[in-house]
Each structure stands twice: as C-alpha cells, then as structure tokens.
Amino acid sequence: MGTYPDFGNTTDFDNANRGLIDKLDPPVITAADGRVVWDIGAYDFLDDRCPPTADPSLWRQSQLCNIQGLFEVTEGIYQVRNFDLSNMTIVEGDRGVIVIDPLISAETAAAALAIYRKHRGDRPVTGLIYTHSHADHFGGARGVVPDGHPKVPIIAPEGFLEHAVSENVYAGNAMTRRAIFMYGTGLAKAPDGQLGCGLGMTTSTGTVTLIPPTVDITRTGQEEVVDGVRILFQLTPGTEAPAEMNFLFPDRRALCMAENATHNMHNVLTLRGALVRDSRIWSSYLDEAIALFADRADVAFASHHWPTWGADNWTAWLAGQRDMYAYLHDQTLRLLNQGLNGPEIAEVLTFPPGLDGIWANRGYYGSLSHNVKAIYQRYLGWFDGNPAHLWEHTEVEQAKRYVADYGGVEAVVAKGRAYAAEGDHRFAATLLNHAVFADPGNTAAKEALAEVYQTLGYGSENGTWRNFFLVGATELRNGPTPVTLDTADPQMLAALTIDMIIDSIAIRVDGLRAAESDFVLDLNLTDSGTVTRLTMSNGALTHRTASEYAPLRGPADLTLTLTKAQLLAGLGGQGFAGVTVDGDQSVLKALVGVIETPDPRFPIVTP
C-alpha cells in the first residue's frame, strides 16, 4: 500500500523494550476451568522475517505490539503490556497501587497484577481508573478488585456508564459479532492468518466485568488525590470514545493520554460499529493537551502501545496525531462541499509527506479510507443525495438482478475470476459477492470470493482490514465463527442501573407481537426503595421511575416486589423465585413471551 517510512529507524523498538522487568512465562493465561483466554506464545512466528502473505509495515507493527511483560515507565509507574488488547498501568501510592484500565477480562487483569506484585510486593489496590468507556479498559475490573474487596475510589469520565452500556449491551450482540471479523477471532495465529490488529494483538476471551464508577471527572482542571497521589485531569468527550479523559501525575511528571494518542491512525468509526467520533474535536483536545502539559511531563504513555520519553518527543508525537485528525476532518469537508460523496473522497484524499512519513500515523487500525467515509457520515449521514440510492433493493434482491443480467451465477463467477486475474480484486469482490448473495449455496462462487478476500487480506497494511478479509474467507468456506467473548456476562449486567436493564429489554421486544397486548407493570425494587413503571403500548415498552414531581397515576395490572438481582435472574430465564407477585400474572408471561434472544452468529458474508 504505497511507500513506507524508514524501516531502519529503531526508535519504536527501543521504546517498546525500554524498562522491561519481566515477561510472562509460560506466556499463557487461563480461566478457572483451564480454558486458555490469552496466548502470547501463539505469535512467536513474528520473530521471523515478513513473508509474502503479509504487508511489511503491518508485520513491523505486529512485532512491536507483541512485545510483552512488566515495564517501568518512570519511578512509581509501571505498565503491563500485551496481556490483552490494551495496557494496564499501575501507579504506586502511599499504601498500595492505583490501577489504570484493567484490560478486557478478569483473568488477564489478575495475571497483570500478579506479575507486578511478584517484583514490587503484595501491595493492595487502593484505586481504580477507567480512562474511557470501551470494554478493553474496564472489563477486567473484578480481576483487580474482586467481590468482597474493600471499597476503593473508582474514577471515570462523566457519562462513562451510560456509554459503556450503550455500546456493550444495547448494540452488544451486533458489535460482538462484527468484532470477530475486526480482531480475527477464529483465525489461526500464523503468517497467513491473524497477526494482530494494529492496536494490539487480539482480544482476550475471559470474563468481562464492570464495577460502576464512584467518582466522576466532570471538568478539565479537576484534581483528585488517591492514596496520596495527585492526579490532574483533562476531560476529552467525543474523541476516541464518547466519554474519555487524559490525566497528569504532576509529581511524577508523567502524562496518561488514554486512547486519544496511539502509535497508529485510530478509527473515526470503528469497523465493529460505534458512534461516529468527532475528528475535529479530537484534534482540538490533542492540541489542548500539548498546551496544558508540555512543560509538566517527561514521559507520555497511553492505554495501548508503548510510552514516549522526552517532552520534545512526546509533544511531536501528539502534534503529528493532532495534525492528522485535523487534516482528515478539514479535507473531507472541503471535498464534501465540492459535491464528492464518501467513497469518492476516500479515493482522492491523500496525506502530505509530513503526515504520511510518521510511523505513528500509519493506518494499522483505522484507515484513511474508512475514516473519510465516517466523517462524511457524521455530517451528511448514509444518503449521498443521489435519488438512485434513496430506495434501493436489499443486497440479496440487487444481487439476483445483477446475476440475471450477467447471464447467471456461473457467468458472474467466471467474470469475477477474470477481474481477479487482471489484478482488480476490488471489483472481483463486488461481482463475486453478488454471486454469493444471489445463490448462497453455490460452493464455486463462495470459493472464488474467498480466494479474492484472502488476496486482499494478505496485501492490507491495516490490521483490521486484513482480519475482515481473512475471516470473510474463512466463513465462506466453513460457516460463521463461534462467539467467544460475552459482553452481556452477568458480572457486566449487574453493574447496570434499573433504567439501563429495562432499556436493554425494550430493544429485544418483538414489536408486532407485543402490540397484541397492552399492560402496565410496576417493579417495586426493595434494595433501592424505588418503584419503576413499565408500560407496554402499541408494541413499545416504555418506563419511568416514580418521583415527587412525577408520581405514578392509576393502578398497575401487575406489581412485582423484588431486588435488582432477582429481576436480572428472572429476565435471564432463571425464574422469579422469591418474588412477591400482586395482580394479573399473565402480564409477566406476556412480557417474557415477546422478548427475543438475538443470534450471536448471524450471517455477514452470506445472506
């Protein structure tokens, strides 16, 4: 994919290895039942030279991300890297340690804390910080603050819980399915398979947990003292996550950049799906971080990749990222206002040499192509203004017509193979996808498309594109990949508020079936002392909690007196044992009867 920066520059390798104290040996993390949830040794093949089945720039990035172990960042601050997709940072306080971003799984977080304690002593956890609302930065919370642990301050940016839930619960099934493609789940870890995702290696597959925050960061300049450690915060909403923050340890002269600055181009819209991020405000907050902290930090570290030492070096790194996101935003808007649509802008927009020549700006995780389309989407939405695109047939119905016009599936497959032979794999993929969607049982069409996806994957500098192409090829040949990561784990659901729990049920209601019966159901929650009313009307499940200003009017058809845990158990199919029921019990049956359980293996590369 074009030219590359200087492969002879070893600065990133020097920084990624700096401060190494110990490595995980053996390099495997298991769950209580013996199941492997993280296997670093699977990537030993990266020690070899880049093969023809991988882009050399992505191979280099994967080598960097695969460096693992416990590292000293500066006095009193340590990082555990490559025990999961993200980093866990440990800051020593007066009595114990503050943990920043406890990875995805409780098992990997516990292993990270264990390797720290092996060398620094069995210090208790005295604080927990979530930098932002993505699961790889909070999911392992119970691995470092297990049930029964003394309460500690849990610090997060304002809006953290709302956004963590909207991403991982409300749209969790679809995102988890697409994440299989993004992170290459199910692919062999091999030179011709999964070799990372640019941001890290892959996602762990342990137990995802969540402990709700107890301290909200609501403004830039807010200072908190945890276990004797001063922390100065910069609130950065709408950047890499809807709720995110950077922060400085002024007495250690160390700056945490969360995931706002990494050693790759990030996603403006992640391929697994998320809210579109604001690249304009993202750039602005990076500029503000330089202004706030340039003379106050000697090292900057983040929730992924490796630290950068020296004020001149880390400010140059941030400035390069700042300029990259600003350029993406402004040039997309310039071309958008000239009438180009998203795909057209993605074809013509290029970086100037000063941005393109920075290793940290390479598109290993995000890409210039899909980020430009995301910026277009943020401002103008899915519709490009062309009436031909306003009311198109579904992909299957379009495919049937294309294939018929081409003379049948066999003719389309032959034409697709011809385009692939000529080197036009992009259009070959388009044609062959029509063949598969018109006749999903045609093995020749699926194999031809799988071969094209495989070729596109091998040539991708972007780790997530590679994984999407290669998982697509695998699923065409073998069927959907099993889902191994569950973001709706009971430990995760237990952290939800009652409103969030009901919202997560409302989006699973089959509206047409539910429209056949209207009812009012009151939940009398004994552990919170509140009454929440659910109203099913015209197939929509709405709810509100009684308050002094908005009391509940009229009787309910059914009242359940129960705890939050009993509600979760009942809605999870375990029954409502021990719940006091007052009223028409058929209401509960009617509610449960219209709640659907989504299929975590729905098809993507076939209809």
Side-chain angles (χ1 to χ4, degrees), residues 250-600:
D251 300 325
R252 313 283 174 89
R253 294 187 61 83
L255 173 63
C256 176
M257 286 303 301
E259 204 168 324
N260 286 320
T262 53
H263 290 280
N264 56 216
M265 184 195 306
H266 216 295
N267 290 295
V268 177
L269 175 57
T270 175
L271 298 181
R272 62 181 162 76
L275 296 176
V276 180
R277 297 152 188 178
D278 188 343
S279 51
R280 178 190 62 85
I281 200 70
W282 195 338
S283 172
S284 176
Y285 280 125
L286 288 171
D287 190 58
E288 182 181 68
I290 296 171
L292 287 171
F293 306 123
D295 60 349
R296 306 178 70 178
D298 299 323
V299 60
F301 61 91
S303 301
H304 294 273
H305 299 145
W306 49 94
T308 301
W309 284 269
D312 289 345
N313 295 326
W314 71 253
T315 55
W317 166 48
L318 262 60
Q321 299 251 300
R322 173 199 65 196
D323 296 346
M324 173 180 64
Y325 294 121
Y327 187 93
L328 280 170
H329 176 272
D330 296 348
Q331 296 307 306
T332 298
L333 267 291
R334 178 180 67 86
L335 294 170
L336 172 158
N337 281 312
Q338 292 179 9
L340 277 68
N341 62 29
E344 290 169 340
I345 298 169
E347 286 299 297
V348 301
L349 186 60
T350 58
F351 279 151
L355 292 178
D356 195 48
I358 300 173
W359 281 116
N361 286 358
R362 302 297 291 189
Y364 303 119
Y365 191 56
S367 76
L368 188 151
S369 178
H370 74 253
N371 280 343
V372 161
K373 295 168 188 172
I375 295 167
Y376 183 96
Q377 177 182 326
R378 180 178 179 88
Y379 283 94
L380 293 183
W382 62 269
F383 180 47
D384 64 3
N386 185 336
H389 303 149
L390 187 59
W391 192 31
E392 293 181 301
H393 283 294
T394 64
E395 192 168 5
V396 169
E397 292 303 315
Q398 287 191 52
K400 290 177 180 177
R401 288 158 175 80
Y402 277 115
V403 167
D405 291 343
Y406 261 87
V409 171
E410 289 75 16
V412 173
V413 171
K415 198 67 177 175
R417 288 191 183 277
Y419 274 105
E422 294 169 6
D424 190 351
H425 293 91
R426 293 170 67 182
F427 191 64
T430 299
L431 272 184
L432 293 169
N433 185 66
H434 284 316
V436 169
F437 271 71
D439 185 6
N442 190 305
T443 55
K446 289 195 290 187
E447 179 56 32
L449 182 55
E451 290 171 4
V452 169
Y453 283 164
Q454 184 170 289
T455 300
L456 288 167
Y458 289 167
S460 294
E461 182 182 16
N462 182 284
T464 60
W465 283 34
R466 176 187 174 94
N467 291 336
F468 258 87
F469 285 129
L470 295 186
V471 173
T474 299
E475 294 204 356
L476 284 166
R477 290 164 172 154
N478 305 319
T481 304
V483 175
T484 55
L485 182 65
D486 185 8
T487 57
D489 185 275
Q491 289 260 18
M492 175 81 176
L493 296 177
L496 274 58
T497 66
I498 293 299
D499 285 345
M500 291 172 176
I501 292 169
I502 299 170
D503 282 340
S504 70
I505 294 300
I507 60 176
R508 291 168 51 195
V509 168
D510 182 331
L512 292 179
R513 288 170 54 209
E516 297 174 1
S517 60
D518 293 351
F519 55 80
V520 175
L521 169 62
D522 281 354
L523 301 176
N524 180 14
L525 280 304
T526 56
D527 41 1
S528 63
T530 60
V531 178
T532 297
R533 171 159 291 183
L534 283 62
T535 301
M536 182 72 79
S537 176
N538 295 313
L541 183 64
T542 59
H543 62 93
R544 68 182 181 88
T545 299
S547 69
E548 177 184 353
Y549 305 102
L552 302 179
R553 301 190 182 281
D557 298 303
L558 175 68
T559 298
L560 302 181
T561 301
L562 72 178
T563 64
K564 177 181 169 182
Q566 288 174 319
L567 175 63
L568 282 170
L571 294 174
Q574 300 170 35
F576 287 89
V579 174
T580 301
V581 180
D582 182 17
D584 182 0
Q585 297 190 32
S586 68
V587 166
L588 186 58
K589 183 178 180 181
L591 173 61
V592 173
V594 296
I595 297 173
E596 294 184 338
T597 300
D599 180 2

Side-chain angles (χ1 to χ4, degrees), residues 95-99 110 113 117 122-128 140-154 211 214 226-227 491:
R95 297 179 296 105
V97 295
I98 304 160
V99 172
L113 185 59
R117 285 174 168 167
D122 193 17
R123 304 171 187 233
V125 173
T126 50
L128 185 59
R142 285 299 182 194
V144 296
V145 183
D147 288 317
H149 189 283
K151 289 186 177 181
V152 300
I154 299 172
I211 307 173
T214 60
V226 181
D227 193 12
Q491 289 260 18

Side-chain angles (χ1 to χ4, degrees), residues 1-7 13 46 48-64 191 195 359 362 364 457-462 466:
M1 284 193 175
T3 58
Y4 303 112
D6 179 15
F7 278 94
F13 286 94
L46 288 166
D48 296 332
R49 294 174 62 86
C50 179
T53 54
D55 177 272
S57 178
L58 178 60
W59 188 266
R60 172 189 181 276
Q61 180 76 354
S62 297
Q63 289 178 320
L64 286 160
L195 48 87
W359 281 116
R362 302 297 291 189
Y364 303 119
Y458 289 167
S460 294
E461 182 182 16
N462 182 284
R466 176 187 174 94

Side-chain angles (χ1 to χ4, degrees), residues 24 26-43 82-86 103-112 139-140 143 185 189 201-208 484-486 489:
L24 184 65
V28 173
I29 300 170
T30 58
D33 61 3
R35 179 173 52 91
V36 173
V37 300
W38 188 252
D39 183 0
I40 307 170
Y43 294 97
N82 197 19
F83 277 43
D84 211 318
L85 178 66
S86 49
L103 310 181
I104 294 177
S105 303
E107 294 86 351
T108 55
T185 305
K189 310 305 193 280
M201 302 317 296
T202 187
T203 54
S204 64
T205 56
T207 307
V208 181
T484 55
L485 182 65
D486 185 8
D489 185 275

